[in-house]
Amino acid sequence: MMVEKIVDAFKDRFGAEPVIFRAPGRVNLIGEHTDYNDGFVMPAAIDRYVYFAIKPNGQNVYRFHAFDLNKSFTTTTDLISPSKSRWANYLLGVISQMVGYGKDIPGFDCVFGGNVPIGAGLSSSAAIESGLAFALNHIFSLGFTPMQLALIGQKAEHEYAGVKCGIMDQFASLHGKKNHVLKLDCRSLEFEPFELRTDNFSIILVNTGVKHSLASSKYNIRRNECQVGVDILKKYNANISSLRDVSLDVLNEHKSEFDKKVWDRCSYVVEENLRVKQAGEALQNKDFQLFGRLLYQSHYGLKEKYEVSCPELDKLVDITEPLDYVLGSRMMGGGFGGCTINLVRNTHIDQFIEQVKLHYKTPQGNTPDIITCVIANGAELFS
């Protein structure tokens, strides 16, 4: 239905038959706030999408319409710069990066919209960037690889949206593989798929109802705090360029030189990288109990050391603790709101939902949105 609405909106607005693309949102099973520290993450694309109806218009103009917002934006092809229309910056940033690579991006019309919740930690912004990048690459035969498209989306987020994000979100939206999570080395950009079939348990998201905005949150502050720690340790080893290069032993050796907050931030990141590696081993061995325990450990690190959780996220995780049919639970995404991610045995999904609804209401007093995810493929031509 969503696709049909977007196509109809395109035809009504531009009087032409578009080509349809889609790009998924993502979940991150484990490895939070490690990507911009050159660490490891373990995301997967999910069956929530942003759809794009696109067609070249033969004019020197870009015309965008955000279906979900019912807002439009137009600019000429020779005038690409950040706009006061924040939503348009995700698109303009992608075009700007491609032009920076020396590519000619002719005028086109675009209507986009979808069912990736905004502000829930499912990377709706990355789905927009990745979907447009994939579509333009296809339509204009630009020759970019999927990883290059991910880097284009990341730089668009940096320069046009003002969020110094890592590569994970755009990577997952473009490289997703059905029934697999992807362990990504955010430094080398090498990745390894691990099979994660949901025959016996499901990935279920619970939305706190608290929306976050990374650009205006403490995200960039956390990034700077990590850099402070790196700068301290660099004095002893010039080869340390990020927390990826730091072991717990080295960190503990110099603990007295750290402000407590900075040490907490850095120790969390180093520990989280170790958890991602352990999570990969657990999946290889089909040890889902261990995998679930690592999710809980990740949450408490994010809550106590990285301080990016919030009371609503903590409440949702606390609800799961006594439930033996929940293998693991944690906050997911940048923090300060959004969703928890839960591994729940398929035999008890109804009980899980019942418990959540019984014990949690959003700040607005509503029953939270509960989303069961299917692990899906990455950006693709839809029709």
Side-chain angles (χ1 to χ4, degrees):
M1 286 294 293
M2 174 61 73
V3 179
E4 292 169 5
K5 289 178 181 178
I6 288 170
V7 171
D8 288 344
F10 187 95
K11 290 177 179 177
D12 291 345
R13 188 166 292 271
F14 301 116
E17 191 75 41
V19 181
I20 312 300
F21 299 85
R22 70 179 184 184
R26 66 98 188 97
V27 293
N28 186 32
L29 276 297
I30 193 166
E32 214 66 78
H33 287 278
T34 50
D35 56 349
Y36 54 82
N37 286 295
D38 286 349
F40 298 93
V41 293
M42 191 174 278
I46 59 169
D47 59 336
R48 291 293 181 112
Y49 300 96
V50 176
Y51 295 91
F52 296 81
I54 293 184
K55 187 176 179 65
N57 58 29
Q59 304 175 46
N60 294 323
V61 65
Y62 302 123
R63 297 184 294 205
F64 310 145
H65 182 70
F67 181 84
D68 301 322
L69 301 175
N70 193 27
K71 292 184 178 180
S72 298
F73 179 88
T74 299
T75 189
T76 57
T77 55
D78 61 350
L79 193 62
I80 301 300
S81 61
S83 164
K84 291 180 181 177
S85 298
R86 291 180 60 187
W87 65 268
N89 284 333
Y90 296 106
L91 308 174
L92 293 169
V94 169
I95 296 169
S96 174
Q97 292 304 318
M98 289 180 162
V99 170
Y101 275 97
K103 302 295 185 181
D104 177 38
I105 311 297
F108 65 89
D109 299 326
C110 173
V111 175
F112 71 97
N115 59 4
V116 183
I118 295 172
L122 302 186
S123 295
S124 55
S125 61
I128 293 170
E129 294 151 355
S130 300
L132 183 68
F134 184 92
L136 296 180
N137 194 48
H138 184 278
I139 289 171
F140 298 123
S141 301
L142 301 177
F144 290 113
T145 66
M147 191 62 79
Q148 286 174 321
L149 294 176
L151 291 166
I152 283 169
Q154 181 194 24
K155 286 198 73 178
E157 186 107 7
H158 286 188
E159 296 179 10
Y160 274 65
V163 178
K164 300 294 185 184
C165 64
I167 191 65
M168 175 181 67
D169 297 347
Q170 294 83 2
F171 162 81
S173 188
L174 284 152
H175 292 80
K177 184 178 180 184
K178 188 174 181 180
N179 293 325
H180 288 76
V181 297
L182 304 172
K183 179 190 168 192
L184 172 68
D185 179 334
C186 294
R187 170 173 284 170
S188 70
L189 301 184
E190 295 174 346
F191 62 95
E192 183 180 2
F194 289 88
E195 187 174 50
L196 180 58
R197 291 188 172 274
T198 51
D199 299 335
N200 298 314
F201 58 85
S202 291
I203 298 169
I204 301 180
L205 308 179
V206 182
N207 194 338
T208 58
V210 179
K211 288 190 177 181
H212 61 192
S213 174
L214 291 185
S216 60
S217 75
K218 299 175 182 177
Y219 179 99
N220 291 335
I221 295 174
R222 294 295 180 277
R223 188 172 183 136
N224 292 335
E225 288 168 337
C226 291
Q227 187 58 48
V228 170
V230 170
D231 291 342
I232 291 170
L233 298 174
K234 263 184 184 174
K235 294 184 293 187
Y236 303 97
N237 184 345
N239 293 322
I240 292 175
S241 62
S242 73
L243 290 175
R244 163 66 176 279
D245 302 314
V246 178
S247 68
L248 281 175
D249 287 343
V250 167
L251 202 57
N252 285 317
E253 185 182 339
H254 298 284
K255 184 175 180 178
S256 62
E257 299 173 54
F258 281 70
D259 170 272
K260 184 181 185 305
K261 252 182 192 175
V262 170
W263 190 85
D264 280 348
R265 308 302 189 240
C266 293
S267 61
Y268 161 76
V269 171
V270 174
E271 290 164 354
E272 185 78 344
N273 278 328
L274 293 172
R275 283 190 283 267
V276 177
K277 291 180 180 179
Q278 289 177 288
E281 294 165 4
L283 288 180
Q284 275 186 325
N285 298 327
K286 301 197 181 304
D287 187 346
F288 300 117
Q289 293 288 350
L290 172 58
F291 189 81
R293 287 199 300 274
L294 291 166
L295 265 61
Y296 279 119
Q297 290 172 19
S298 175
H299 180 77
Y300 288 109
L302 287 159
K303 172 187 175 182
E304 295 161 6
K305 288 190 169 185
Y306 219 66
E307 294 185 286
V308 291
S309 189
C310 64
E312 294 83 1
L313 287 165
D314 296 337
K315 171 73 171 173
L316 285 172
V317 172
D318 290 345
I319 289 168
T320 71
E321 286 273 20
L323 308 177
D324 59 6
Y325 51 81
V326 178
L327 281 71
S329 177
R330 71 175 188 87
M331 60 149 280
M332 186 191 72
F336 312 108
C339 294
T340 59
I341 183 168
N342 306 270
L343 292 187
V344 182
R345 294 192 186 281
N346 288 341
T347 51
H348 289 75
I349 289 175
D350 290 344
Q351 291 95 318
F352 171 76
I353 292 172
E354 182 182 319
Q355 286 297 309
V356 169
K357 288 182 175 179
L358 181 65
H359 295 291
Y360 183 82
K361 292 287 185 289
T362 70
Q364 298 77 31
N366 301 323
T367 298
D369 288 335
I370 300 174
I371 304 166
T372 301
C373 297
V374 174
I375 298 178
N377 288 322
E380 58 193 355
L381 174 67
F382 189 68
S383 69

